[in-house]
Amino acid sequence: ATGLRALLVRIGAPTALESIGMRRDALGEAVRLCLEAVPQSNPRPVDAEGMRGILEAAHEGRHPAV
C-alpha cells in the first residue's frame, strides 16, 4: 500500500475521497454499504467502528491504522 500511495503522489493522482467529490456526510452510508458487502467468510471481523475509521482516513487522504 505504501508503494501505491507513493506512486499516486508522484503522478499527482487524488489520494483522498474528498478530493474526488465524496462529502463527509456520506460516510455513514458508505459504512453501511461496505458492511453489507463483507462476506461471511472474511478472515477478519469487520464492524462499523473499524470501517468508519478506514473510510474517514481515506476521506482525508491519510493511511488508515488497521
Side-chain angles (χ1 to χ4, degrees):
T2 303
L4 180 58
R5 181 169 178 75
L7 174 62
L8 293 173
V9 170
R10 191 173 83 225
I11 65 173
T15 57
L17 293 174
E18 181 178 37
S19 66
I20 60 170
M22 184 175 190
R23 296 181 333 268
R24 177 167 287 284
D25 64 1
L27 288 176
E29 178 71 2
V31 168
R32 185 186 67 74
L33 291 169
C34 288
L35 290 175
E36 288 177 2
V38 175
Q40 292 293 328
S41 61
N42 198 63
R44 184 173 176 178
V46 180
D47 62 16
E49 181 181 348
M51 183 60 67
R52 179 136 192 130
I54 291 169
L55 289 173
E56 284 178 350
H59 186 264
E60 297 168 7
R62 294 183 288 111
H63 190 281
V66 290

